[in-house]
Amino acid sequence: MKDAYLKATVVVSLQRSKIRAHVAKVCEEMSERGERGDNPVVTALLWVAGIAIAVSIVAALVALGTKASTKVDGVDLGK
């Protein structure tokens, strides 16, 4: 039992050192390259807003077309 505990302790300590080394490497790389600036939440919000604006423009054009069509239906064009 003591042997298994010792092995597990060694494995965990090795993993901790590997994780620390990886985090240090990532932090160094981030400081060298800088932030990319793309935030997925902001990107999703911009896409949703753009689609909503496009749909509202189309709906307004359809409403105007329908309104104009009903006004033209009663006009005699001299057939």
Side-chain angles (χ1 to χ4, degrees), residues 23-51:
V23 168
K25 180 181 171 186
V26 168
C27 288
E28 181 181 336
E29 185 176 339
M30 284 176 57
S31 66
E32 287 175 0
R33 289 182 10 185
E35 187 177 344
R36 289 178 32 185
D38 55 346
N39 188 344
V41 173
V42 173
T43 304
L45 288 175
L46 289 174
W47 273 100
V48 168
I51 292 170

Side-chain angles (χ1 to χ4, degrees), residues 1-65:
M1 183 70 176
K2 290 181 181 181
D3 191 36
Y5 180 71
L6 181 61
K7 286 181 183 179
T9 305
V10 170
V11 168
V12 169
S13 66
L14 288 175
Q15 291 298 323
R16 287 179 63 195
S17 65
K18 286 181 183 179
I19 291 171
R20 282 185 184 160
H22 183 70
V23 168
K25 180 181 171 186
V26 168
C27 288
E28 181 181 336
E29 185 176 339
M30 284 176 57
S31 66
E32 287 175 0
R33 289 182 10 185
E35 187 177 344
R36 289 178 32 185
D38 55 346
N39 188 344
V41 173
V42 173
T43 304
L45 288 175
L46 289 174
W47 273 100
V48 168
I51 292 170
I53 290 170
V55 167
S56 66
I57 290 172
V58 169
L61 290 174
V62 167
L64 286 174

